Amino acid sequence: MSAPERIPPRGMTSEQLLATGELTVRGRIRDASNAALYCAVAQDGREAACVYKPVAGERPLWDFPDGTLAQREVAAYAVSEATGWGLVPPTVLRDGPYGEGMCQLWIEALPDAELLALVDAEEPAPGWKAIGLADVGEDRTALLVHADDERLRRLAVLDAVLNNADRKGGHLLPAGDGRLYGIDHGVTFNVENKLRTLLWGWAGEPLTAEAVEVLQRLQGELKAGGALAERLGALITDAEIEATRARVGVLLATGVHPEPSGEWPAIPWPPV
């Protein structure tokens, strides 16, 4: 799909354009597990491409309350913005052609960015981090690796805060301006530990000084009455906000990237 010009009208943020512009469905994203529609949002002569996921198109999940995935996507954007890293594209909750849903700015990903790879080796090469062994058929395995990239490392920290249960390779969007975005955050903020990701390469390693500073800031904003806590209060439950506070607290107390718990499959399937 070719994206329309992604410049909001002068004086209008991307969030405002997404929230108030006229939403027109252009097609359906068929490989999405829930209804995901490729749309244009237009106002004052400008338009941007976006993804609209109506609540009515969400499939029921056994471990998440029905009709809450869109709110979780918006909550993930709120936390991302609070970190200052800008890892999630602008995302709003709004009414659309099929009812209330999540609307997110479309990101045109670079097609040849090397963030993940399968290698016939026992150890990752310099510049790569090991995820684990993968079955490649014919009784053979290969080492699954991801790039040792500071953008991915920030996303790994964000996912630990969000308790992201589905960080797949296809959810990583490197953009032409050098930024990296993560998408598809519907299965986040569960009160139980469900972290499932491809970004395990730093598991057990010390957090960067930058990450510690960001987590300290989040801890403050997540306190009762804090700006982030207030924003999340309209999107997820009090118990989920408290669990988010606890995850931030554990990260700061341990000072390291989390490791797989063993209570939940550590790597999503399919991984891409």
Side-chain angles (χ1 to χ4, degrees), residues 53 61 64 68-70 72-73 164 183-189:
K53 296 181 182 179
L61 298 172
F64 286 84
T68 66
L69 304 191
R72 294 173 193 279
E73 296 241 30
N164 192 349
I183 60 169
D184 286 347
H185 296 101
V187 286
T188 49
F189 296 103

Side-chain angles (χ1 to χ4, degrees), residues 93-170:
L93 197 65
R94 62 162 293 168
D95 195 32
Y98 299 101
E100 186 178 61
M102 180 279 282
C103 190
Q104 185 175 81
L105 190 69
W106 178 270
I107 300 298
E108 201 68 44
L110 293 175
D112 300 321
E114 293 188 356
L115 297 175
L116 298 165
L118 279 170
V119 296
D120 188 13
E122 295 184 359
E123 297 291 337
W128 295 87
K129 304 290 283 187
I131 303 168
L133 293 174
D135 184 357
V136 293
E138 299 180 354
D139 296 323
R140 292 179 58 247
T141 59
L143 186 65
L144 183 60
V145 297
H146 66 67
D148 188 2
D149 186 314
E150 67 175 9
R151 301 171 302 171
L152 288 179
R153 191 166 191 171
R154 289 170 177 168
L155 193 58
V157 174
L158 178 65
D159 282 343
V161 173
L162 302 180
N163 195 17
N164 192 349
D166 195 33
R167 175 60 72 206
K168 296 178 179 176

Side-chain angles (χ1 to χ4, degrees), residues 5-24:
E5 185 181 9
R6 294 184 311 185
I7 303 174
R10 288 195 181 104
M12 176 177 286
T13 67
S14 294
E15 275 190 64
Q16 291 168 331
L17 176 60
L18 290 169
T20 62
E22 182 179 357
L23 197 61
T24 303

Side-chain angles (χ1 to χ4, degrees), residues 182-243:
I183 60 169
D184 286 347
H185 296 101
V187 286
T188 49
F189 296 103
N190 202 297
V191 296
E192 299 179 6
N193 182 8
K194 292 185 177 291
L195 184 60
R196 190 167 60 163
T197 176
L198 287 177
L199 304 180
W200 288 116
W202 297 281
E205 293 187 15
L207 296 167
T208 65
E210 177 196 47
V212 171
E213 182 180 345
V214 165
L215 290 166
Q216 289 172 337
R217 186 165 64 249
L218 285 182
Q219 190 173 52
E221 294 195 25
L222 283 166
K223 290 180 179 178
L228 182 56
E230 291 293 312
R231 188 170 184 188
L232 293 180
L235 299 166
I236 59 177
T237 67
D238 290 345
E240 290 165 341
I241 295 172
E242 183 56 40

